Amino acid sequence: MVAEGAGAKYSFEGARADGTSFSYGFTVNYDGKDYPIAGAGAPGGADTIAIKRMGTHKVEAILKKGGKEVGKSEAKVSKDGTTTTLNSKGMTSDGKAYSIHSVYTKQ
């Protein structure tokens, strides 16, 4: 993540357990409006994301494909700023439910 004025620029790149790769990103303001996702492999095949602040240390995101919600995420940053917890739920592009719990620590 890189700060971009009132929002941020995110980029994701990697490989899934089945070996398929993904590379996608977006630039978004924290205003709850839809912003385009570029690249391939976003959860649920999403093509837009909307993020809004839910407090000092929490944001919520809605992922959409073709205007229809395909996923929801919540990110919480610890008060000391060293740990981010991300919880995501939704549907994959082939219609299967997914649930992801990730914890990131600042190095």
mmCIF file of all heavy atoms in Angstrom, residues 66-96:
data_model
loop_
_atom_site.group_PDB
_atom_site.id
_atom_site.type_symbol
_atom_site.label_atom_id
_atom_site.label_comp_id
_atom_site.label_asym_id
_atom_site.label_seq_id
_atom_site.Cartn_x
_atom_site.Cartn_y
_atom_site.Cartn_z
ATOM 1 N N GLY A 66 -19.310 -6.570 -12.170
ATOM 2 C CA GLY A 66 -20.482 -6.195 -12.948
ATOM 3 C C GLY A 66 -21.552 -5.515 -12.119
ATOM 4 O O GLY A 66 -22.736 -5.674 -12.386
ATOM 5 N N GLY A 67 -21.144 -4.787 -11.079
ATOM 6 C CA GLY A 67 -22.088 -4.077 -10.217
ATOM 7 C C GLY A 67 -22.687 -4.908 -9.102
ATOM 8 O O GLY A 67 -23.393 -4.390 -8.243
ATOM 9 N N LYS A 68 -22.406 -6.216 -9.072
ATOM 10 C CA LYS A 68 -22.961 -7.106 -8.051
ATOM 11 C C LYS A 68 -21.886 -7.437 -7.006
ATOM 12 O O LYS A 68 -20.756 -7.779 -7.344
ATOM 13 C CB LYS A 68 -23.447 -8.399 -8.706
ATOM 14 C CG LYS A 68 -24.057 -9.379 -7.733
ATOM 15 C CD LYS A 68 -24.514 -10.641 -8.424
ATOM 16 C CE LYS A 68 -25.020 -11.627 -7.392
ATOM 17 N NZ LYS A 68 -25.323 -12.924 -7.963
ATOM 18 N N GLU A 69 -22.250 -7.354 -5.736
ATOM 19 C CA GLU A 69 -21.303 -7.652 -4.661
ATOM 20 C C GLU A 69 -20.856 -9.110 -4.722
ATOM 21 O O GLU A 69 -21.675 -10.021 -4.803
ATOM 22 C CB GLU A 69 -21.941 -7.382 -3.304
ATOM 23 C CG GLU A 69 -20.971 -7.576 -2.150
ATOM 24 C CD GLU A 69 -21.575 -7.239 -0.803
ATOM 25 O OE1 GLU A 69 -22.286 -6.227 -0.686
ATOM 26 O OE2 GLU A 69 -21.319 -8.022 0.140
ATOM 27 N N VAL A 70 -19.523 -9.314 -4.699
ATOM 28 C CA VAL A 70 -18.966 -10.667 -4.692
ATOM 29 C C VAL A 70 -18.093 -10.920 -3.466
ATOM 30 O O VAL A 70 -17.664 -12.045 -3.239
ATOM 31 C CB VAL A 70 -18.152 -10.962 -5.984
ATOM 32 C CG1 VAL A 70 -19.055 -10.990 -7.195
ATOM 33 C CG2 VAL A 70 -17.002 -9.979 -6.164
ATOM 34 N N GLY A 71 -17.842 -9.878 -2.663
ATOM 35 C CA GLY A 71 -17.026 -10.072 -1.476
ATOM 36 C C GLY A 71 -17.024 -8.851 -0.585
ATOM 37 O O GLY A 71 -17.370 -7.745 -0.998
ATOM 38 N N LYS A 72 -16.636 -9.093 0.657
ATOM 39 C CA LYS A 72 -16.562 -8.035 1.659
ATOM 40 C C LYS A 72 -15.342 -8.294 2.527
ATOM 41 O O LYS A 72 -15.058 -9.443 2.877
ATOM 42 C CB LYS A 72 -17.835 -8.047 2.511
ATOM 43 C CG LYS A 72 -17.991 -6.865 3.420
ATOM 44 C CD LYS A 72 -19.294 -6.944 4.184
ATOM 45 C CE LYS A 72 -20.371 -6.305 3.362
ATOM 46 N NZ LYS A 72 -21.619 -6.076 4.102
ATOM 47 N N SER A 73 -14.618 -7.227 2.866
ATOM 48 C CA SER A 73 -13.429 -7.350 3.710
ATOM 49 C C SER A 73 -13.452 -6.303 4.808
ATOM 50 O O SER A 73 -14.017 -5.231 4.640
ATOM 51 C CB SER A 73 -12.146 -7.148 2.888
ATOM 52 O OG SER A 73 -12.003 -8.135 1.919
ATOM 53 N N GLU A 74 -12.786 -6.642 5.903
ATOM 54 C CA GLU A 74 -12.613 -5.723 7.014
ATOM 55 C C GLU A 74 -11.149 -5.772 7.419
ATOM 56 O O GLU A 74 -10.601 -6.857 7.638
ATOM 57 C CB GLU A 74 -13.494 -6.148 8.186
ATOM 58 C CG GLU A 74 -13.310 -5.309 9.420
ATOM 59 C CD GLU A 74 -14.121 -5.830 10.592
ATOM 60 O OE1 GLU A 74 -15.325 -5.528 10.652
ATOM 61 O OE2 GLU A 74 -13.544 -6.563 11.415
ATOM 62 N N ALA A 75 -10.516 -4.606 7.495
ATOM 63 C CA ALA A 75 -9.115 -4.530 7.918
ATOM 64 C C ALA A 75 -9.031 -3.687 9.184
ATOM 65 O O ALA A 75 -9.617 -2.604 9.261
ATOM 66 C CB ALA A 75 -8.255 -3.921 6.827
ATOM 67 N N LYS A 76 -8.319 -4.225 10.175
ATOM 68 C CA LYS A 76 -8.100 -3.507 11.426
ATOM 69 C C LYS A 76 -6.603 -3.391 11.664
ATOM 70 O O LYS A 76 -5.869 -4.375 11.538
ATOM 71 C CB LYS A 76 -8.721 -4.262 12.602
ATOM 72 C CG LYS A 76 -10.223 -4.327 12.585
ATOM 73 C CD LYS A 76 -10.725 -5.083 13.803
ATOM 74 C CE LYS A 76 -12.218 -5.264 13.766
ATOM 75 N NZ LYS A 76 -12.709 -6.036 14.915
ATOM 76 N N VAL A 77 -6.167 -2.183 12.007
ATOM 77 C CA VAL A 77 -4.768 -1.941 12.342
ATOM 78 C C VAL A 77 -4.692 -1.754 13.849
ATOM 79 O O VAL A 77 -5.491 -1.019 14.434
ATOM 80 C CB VAL A 77 -4.224 -0.681 11.621
ATOM 81 C CG1 VAL A 77 -2.794 -0.400 12.020
ATOM 82 C CG2 VAL A 77 -4.347 -0.844 10.112
ATOM 83 N N SER A 78 -3.712 -2.418 14.468
ATOM 84 C CA SER A 78 -3.555 -2.297 15.915
ATOM 85 C C SER A 78 -3.251 -0.845 16.283
ATOM 86 O O SER A 78 -2.744 -0.073 15.466
ATOM 87 C CB SER A 78 -2.435 -3.218 16.410
ATOM 88 O OG SER A 78 -1.200 -2.846 15.826
ATOM 89 N N LYS A 79 -3.571 -0.466 17.507
ATOM 90 C CA LYS A 79 -3.360 0.917 17.947
ATOM 91 C C LYS A 79 -1.908 1.338 17.870
ATOM 92 O O LYS A 79 -1.612 2.505 17.630
ATOM 93 C CB LYS A 79 -3.919 1.122 19.344
ATOM 94 C CG LYS A 79 -5.432 1.068 19.355
ATOM 95 C CD LYS A 79 -6.015 1.387 20.688
ATOM 96 C CE LYS A 79 -7.534 1.286 20.566
ATOM 97 N NZ LYS A 79 -8.217 1.666 21.769
ATOM 98 N N ASP A 80 -0.974 0.383 18.015
ATOM 99 C CA ASP A 80 0.443 0.731 17.911
ATOM 100 C C ASP A 80 0.944 0.691 16.468
ATOM 101 O O ASP A 80 2.099 0.981 16.190
ATOM 102 C CB ASP A 80 1.307 -0.163 18.805
ATOM 103 C CG ASP A 80 1.314 -1.627 18.387
ATOM 104 O OD1 ASP A 80 0.713 -1.977 17.346
ATOM 105 O OD2 ASP A 80 1.932 -2.427 19.112
ATOM 106 N N GLY A 81 0.065 0.341 15.516
ATOM 107 C CA GLY A 81 0.393 0.369 14.101
ATOM 108 C C GLY A 81 1.276 -0.764 13.609
ATOM 109 O O GLY A 81 1.720 -0.745 12.466
ATOM 110 N N THR A 82 1.491 -1.791 14.421
ATOM 111 C CA THR A 82 2.406 -2.866 14.025
ATOM 112 C C THR A 82 1.732 -4.085 13.419
ATOM 113 O O THR A 82 2.388 -4.898 12.784
ATOM 114 C CB THR A 82 3.257 -3.331 15.224
ATOM 115 O OG1 THR A 82 2.379 -3.862 16.232
ATOM 116 C CG2 THR A 82 4.079 -2.190 15.796
ATOM 117 N N THR A 83 0.420 -4.235 13.622
ATOM 118 C CA THR A 83 -0.277 -5.429 13.149
ATOM 119 C C THR A 83 -1.556 -5.043 12.403
ATOM 120 O O THR A 83 -2.319 -4.198 12.874
ATOM 121 C CB THR A 83 -0.640 -6.349 14.331
ATOM 122 O OG1 THR A 83 0.546 -6.657 15.062
ATOM 123 C CG2 THR A 83 -1.279 -7.642 13.851
ATOM 124 N N THR A 84 -1.765 -5.668 11.251
ATOM 125 C CA THR A 84 -3.007 -5.495 10.493
ATOM 126 C C THR A 84 -3.676 -6.851 10.378
ATOM 127 O O THR A 84 -3.037 -7.832 10.007
ATOM 128 C CB THR A 84 -2.740 -4.939 9.083
ATOM 129 O OG1 THR A 84 -2.120 -3.662 9.207
ATOM 130 C CG2 THR A 84 -4.039 -4.796 8.297
ATOM 131 N N THR A 85 -4.958 -6.913 10.716
ATOM 132 C CA THR A 85 -5.745 -8.136 10.596
ATOM 133 C C THR A 85 -6.784 -7.917 9.508
ATOM 134 O O THR A 85 -7.511 -6.920 9.521
ATOM 135 C CB THR A 85 -6.447 -8.467 11.924
ATOM 136 O OG1 THR A 85 -5.452 -8.571 12.949
ATOM 137 C CG2 THR A 85 -7.216 -9.775 11.829
ATOM 138 N N LEU A 86 -6.836 -8.843 8.553
ATOM 139 C CA LEU A 86 -7.756 -8.752 7.423
ATOM 140 C C LEU A 86 -8.657 -9.974 7.407
ATOM 141 O O LEU A 86 -8.178 -11.111 7.424
ATOM 142 C CB LEU A 86 -6.973 -8.668 6.115
ATOM 143 C CG LEU A 86 -7.774 -8.616 4.824
ATOM 144 C CD1 LEU A 86 -8.583 -7.334 4.740
ATOM 145 C CD2 LEU A 86 -6.848 -8.745 3.625
ATOM 146 N N ASN A 87 -9.967 -9.744 7.401
ATOM 147 C CA ASN A 87 -10.961 -10.811 7.282
ATOM 148 C C ASN A 87 -11.781 -10.562 6.028
ATOM 149 O O ASN A 87 -12.317 -9.461 5.849
ATOM 150 C CB ASN A 87 -11.871 -10.855 8.512
ATOM 151 C CG ASN A 87 -11.119 -11.313 9.730
ATOM 152 O OD1 ASN A 87 -10.570 -12.403 9.762
ATOM 153 N ND2 ASN A 87 -11.067 -10.475 10.751
ATOM 154 N N SER A 88 -11.868 -11.561 5.159
ATOM 155 C CA SER A 88 -12.596 -11.434 3.899
ATOM 156 C C SER A 88 -13.514 -12.627 3.700
ATOM 157 O O SER A 88 -13.163 -13.755 4.044
ATOM 158 C CB SER A 88 -11.617 -11.380 2.718
ATOM 159 O OG SER A 88 -10.715 -10.324 2.859
ATOM 160 N N LYS A 89 -14.679 -12.359 3.103
ATOM 161 C CA LYS A 89 -15.640 -13.412 2.754
ATOM 162 C C LYS A 89 -16.274 -13.048 1.428
ATOM 163 O O LYS A 89 -16.428 -11.878 1.107
ATOM 164 C CB LYS A 89 -16.743 -13.538 3.807
ATOM 165 C CG LYS A 89 -16.279 -14.091 5.119
ATOM 166 C CD LYS A 89 -17.443 -14.265 6.064
ATOM 167 C CE LYS A 89 -16.939 -14.873 7.369
ATOM 168 N NZ LYS A 89 -18.017 -15.194 8.272
ATOM 169 N N GLY A 90 -16.666 -14.078 0.679
ATOM 170 C CA GLY A 90 -17.350 -13.824 -0.575
ATOM 171 C C GLY A 90 -17.476 -15.082 -1.402
ATOM 172 O O GLY A 90 -17.412 -16.198 -0.878
ATOM 173 N N MET A 91 -17.652 -14.876 -2.712
ATOM 174 C CA MET A 91 -17.797 -15.979 -3.659
ATOM 175 C C MET A 91 -16.688 -15.892 -4.700
ATOM 176 O O MET A 91 -16.371 -14.804 -5.172
ATOM 177 C CB MET A 91 -19.149 -15.901 -4.368
ATOM 178 C CG MET A 91 -20.354 -15.971 -3.435
ATOM 179 S SD MET A 91 -20.456 -17.491 -2.503
ATOM 180 C CE MET A 91 -21.036 -18.613 -3.747
ATOM 181 N N THR A 92 -16.114 -17.040 -5.051
ATOM 182 C CA THR A 92 -15.109 -17.074 -6.107
ATOM 183 C C THR A 92 -15.806 -16.889 -7.455
ATOM 184 O O THR A 92 -17.032 -16.949 -7.547
ATOM 185 C CB THR A 92 -14.340 -18.411 -6.107
ATOM 186 O OG1 THR A 92 -15.271 -19.464 -6.398
ATOM 187 C CG2 THR A 92 -13.652 -18.660 -4.775
ATOM 188 N N SER A 93 -15.019 -16.697 -8.507
ATOM 189 C CA SER A 93 -15.608 -16.494 -9.833
ATOM 190 C C SER A 93 -16.356 -17.731 -10.324
ATOM 191 O O SER A 93 -17.217 -17.633 -11.191
ATOM 192 C CB SER A 93 -14.534 -16.077 -10.837
ATOM 193 O OG SER A 93 -13.481 -17.008 -10.849
ATOM 194 N N ASP A 94 -16.054 -18.913 -9.737
ATOM 195 C CA ASP A 94 -16.796 -20.122 -10.127
ATOM 196 C C ASP A 94 -17.899 -20.487 -9.127
ATOM 197 O O ASP A 94 -18.417 -21.598 -9.136
ATOM 198 C CB ASP A 94 -15.847 -21.303 -10.362
ATOM 199 C CG ASP A 94 -15.024 -21.667 -9.143
ATOM 200 O OD1 ASP A 94 -15.122 -20.972 -8.112
ATOM 201 O OD2 ASP A 94 -14.276 -22.651 -9.223
ATOM 202 N N GLY A 95 -18.273 -19.530 -8.257
ATOM 203 C CA GLY A 95 -19.431 -19.706 -7.396
ATOM 204 C C GLY A 95 -19.206 -20.394 -6.061
ATOM 205 O O GLY A 95 -20.157 -20.704 -5.360
ATOM 206 N N LYS A 96 -17.965 -20.607 -5.662
ATOM 207 C CA LYS A 96 -17.676 -21.245 -4.375
ATOM 208 C C LYS A 96 -17.425 -20.168 -3.315
ATOM 209 O O LYS A 96 -16.804 -19.151 -3.578
ATOM 210 C CB LYS A 96 -16.452 -22.147 -4.497
ATOM 211 C CG LYS A 96 -16.658 -23.309 -5.443
ATOM 212 C CD LYS A 96 -15.402 -24.138 -5.555
ATOM 213 C CE LYS A 96 -15.611 -25.249 -6.585
ATOM 214 N NZ LYS A 96 -14.373 -25.946 -6.877
#
